[in-house]
Structures are given as structure tokens and as C-alpha cells.
Amino acid sequence: MTHSFEQAMAAFRPALPLAVALSGGADSSALLIACAERWPGQVCAIHVNHGLQRAAGEFEAHCKALCQRLNVLLAVQPVAAGAAPGQSPEEAARSARYKAFESLALDGIGQVAIQSIALAQHADDQVETLLLALSRGAGLPGLAAMPSHWQRAGIDWYRPLLRVPGRAVRDWLRARGETWVEDPSNGDLRFTRNRIRAQLMPVLEAQFPAFRDTFARSSAHAAQAQRLLLEVAQGDLAAVGTPPQIRALQQLSAARQANVLRHWLQSEHGCAPSAAQLHELQRQIAACTTRGHRIEIKVGGGFVRRSNDRLHWYNPRVLAP
């Protein structure tokens, strides 16, 4: 069920020292204030300046003033987030932001060795993420939406506000007389996420008042199912080998074959095949009954090729002299 801001913060117990990702908006400002008051001297802040809009300077100035008032060490990281082919500007900015968070935390902020990073996404952000995934026909990883806790590069990452409605965060700030900076792009209805927030969320609120809780349960079910599929894929990949043997793949059901191929490509090569690419790859695997059958299919940013009795993935740009 949804929580109040105070309930969520009371349940938040990260490893310290903690870095808070601070944009200057309401959500991250509230999270930093609450963390700094609860763990004085154990909290730092990270602000990533993309320089993508006129308000970037105003966001950075707010972050500096807030951290100075709270006596919190602030690291400001400018980044240039150029979008790769097939990548949206939003995806590029998010990827650059996370890399900056991780790099600063691993290097340490001042003399502080960061153990955890806290991000301020809340329950409304979680609903928007799920609806975006549904609109794109996403599989279980997308339907699982955002995790509340995970580990990467020896750092614990947390989203302690995922059960808190966005309005509850702002109400907490207003009750304390705190201010924040509004992102001017949030009102731009050319962005799908903004249309969901402005046009769809009010309808859901009116028709299904508990939608934040029920959607969160569905995402939790998807996350649990995905963890089970990962366990199956890890066992199957150990059986078919790395790189996978074609004959061993042919012994699996279509569903398990697709599952282990996705896992192999993602875990070994950082490659996510589209549904059409995976379908064609499986069709070719099924047809591979003679020694001379050739397989070379574009998958992600590279190609899957048959070599002797196994499949290999390669990136021609990396292989080129």
C-alpha cells in the first residue's frame, strides 16, 4: 500500500555514507533534506548538469544553496549526453546521469567513500514507467518497472520513495516552507511521460483510486517471474555452453530456448535482441540440420553467426581494423 513520506523515510536504512542524487526538483530536494536531518555528516549530494535547457543553471544554483544550508557536501558533474543511433535523448541523458553517479561514488566525494546512492523516484513515477512499458509491448523486465533496491559496482542503490505518491512529497515540503525548482519541460505534452502524467493519471485516480497499489503489485509479480526466468536461463546456459551449442539449443522448448538466448546475448555481450530478431534466430536454429547450413543474423548492434556447431555474436565495428 502507499506510504506517507515520513513512513517511507522511517523504513529507509541504507549503508552509510549515503549520496543523494539531487536534481533540484521537489522529489530529490525532499529526499536530501530528510536524509541530511536523519544522518548528519553522513550524507552527500550529487548534481548532474546536462546543460540541455535554460533552467539548468537555476537547478544547479538551487542545489548549491540547499546543500550549503544543510551543510551537505555537493559534487556537481557536467555531462554531455549525446544520443546513440536508436536512442532517445531522454535515454541518453539517463544513461549519462547514472554513469556520473557511479563514477563519483566510486571515486569518493571529498574524502567520503560512498556506500549507497539514493534516487528520488516516487509512486507516480513508477506508474508512469509501467504504463510506458505497456505502451511499448515490453516483456517482464519492463513490466517489473523500477526496483527499490539493487547493487552494482559494489554500491547499494535505493529508491526509498517508490510507495509515496508525488503529491505527498510536495505536501511534506510545503508544510516545512521549503522551495524547489520546477522543470519547465514537465509541461511539454510532446513527451509521452508528460501526457501520461497530465491526462491519464487523473482519470486513473478518479476511476481506480488504489491504482498505485494495484499497479505496484503487478510490477512485483512481474519482477518475481523475471527472477525465476533468470534462474532457469542460468541453468540452461550452463547446459548448452558458452558460446551455445546449436544441437543443445534444439533440445529445448521454444520458450526456454528464447529465454536462454536472451540471457546469453545480454549477459555475455550486453545485447538486447528485438522480438523479430529473436524469432528469426530461433527459426534458423530449428532449420540448422545440415553441416553446411549458414547462420548470420543481425541482433542488436552486431550479428549472430554459426561457427562449426556453435553460435557466436560479434560486432563488426569492433572487429574492423
Side-chain angles (χ1 to χ4, degrees):
M1 60 185 296
T2 53
H3 296 160
S4 68
F5 183 83
E6 293 86 351
Q7 286 174 320
M9 291 308 304
F12 182 35
R13 295 181 176 86
L16 300 174
L18 168 72
V20 174
L22 179 65
S23 70
D27 312 319
S28 64
S29 296
L31 181 59
L32 177 64
I33 293 167
C35 289
E37 291 180 352
R38 185 172 176 187
W39 300 292
Q42 293 290 305
V43 177
C44 302
I46 300 173
H47 176 70
V48 174
N49 188 338
H50 297 286
L52 294 176
Q53 51 181 289
R54 293 179 181 176
E58 186 180 356
F59 276 104
E60 184 172 327
H62 170 82
C63 293
K64 289 179 176 177
L66 177 60
C67 290
Q68 185 174 22
R69 177 163 61 85
L70 296 173
N71 195 28
V72 165
L73 186 63
L74 171 67
V76 176
Q77 180 67 48
V79 299
Q87 187 181 39
S88 71
E90 295 80 11
E91 290 172 329
R94 182 169 56 251
S95 176
R97 202 160 51 239
Y98 276 75
K99 288 179 181 176
F101 294 156
E102 184 175 308
S103 175
L104 285 169
L106 290 173
D107 291 343
I109 299 175
Q111 299 301 312
V112 180
I114 300 301
Q115 299 297 311
S116 305
I117 297 176
L119 308 171
Q121 286 99 344
H122 49 64
D124 293 12
D125 296 318
Q126 185 76 310
V127 169
E128 292 165 12
T129 300
L130 174 60
L131 291 174
L132 279 171
L134 285 167
S135 73
R136 295 166 179 164
L140 285 176
L143 301 183
M146 296 182 287
S148 60
H149 174 234
W150 72 104
Q151 292 181 320
R152 187 174 67 199
I155 300 169
D156 282 288
W157 298 70
Y158 294 92
R159 292 188 178 99
L161 306 182
L162 279 185
R163 304 305 295 271
V164 182
R167 64 172 178 271
V169 178
R170 286 164 173 73
D171 288 346
W172 185 84
L173 283 172
R174 291 190 187 99
R176 296 170 57 96
E178 296 285 352
T179 61
W180 62 89
V181 181
E182 287 288 355
D183 187 339
S185 70
N186 284 344
D188 190 341
L189 297 184
R190 289 176 298 176
F191 297 110
T192 305
R193 186 178 284 273
N194 290 346
R195 293 198 300 275
I196 291 173
R197 185 180 306 130
Q199 300 173 346
L200 189 52
M201 297 279 275
V203 176
L204 288 170
E205 186 88 61
Q207 298 299 320
F208 308 103
F211 74 98
R212 293 178 182 85
D213 293 332
T214 55
F215 282 21
R217 285 203 300 274
S218 291
S219 287
H221 292 321
Q224 184 180 52
Q226 180 57 33
R227 288 193 295 270
L228 178 59
L229 286 178
L230 177 59
E231 290 180 16
V232 173
Q234 289 170 337
D236 284 344
L237 187 58
V240 302
T242 307
Q245 186 182 48
I246 294 171
R247 185 174 296 277
L249 285 169
Q250 291 172 335
Q251 305 308 308
L252 297 175
S253 68
R256 285 180 66 166
Q257 187 186 93
N259 189 44
V260 74
L261 287 169
R262 282 195 204 94
H263 177 62
W264 165 59
L265 290 164
Q266 182 63 53
S267 63
E268 296 293 322
H269 303 291
C271 168
S274 69
Q277 290 171 342
L278 189 62
H279 176 77
E280 177 58 21
L281 177 56
Q282 288 189 270
R283 190 184 73 79
Q284 290 290 335
I285 290 170
C288 190
T289 58
T290 62
R291 187 184 298 272
H293 187 94
R294 182 173 179 268
I295 295 178
E296 184 156 8
I297 301 170
K298 180 172 173 53
V299 177
F303 291 83
V304 171
R305 170 192 287 173
R306 177 187 179 180
S307 178
N308 297 321
D309 64 339
R310 294 181 182 269
L311 294 179
H312 296 264
W313 185 90
Y314 72 98
N315 185 335
R317 288 175 294 183
V318 174
L319 296 178

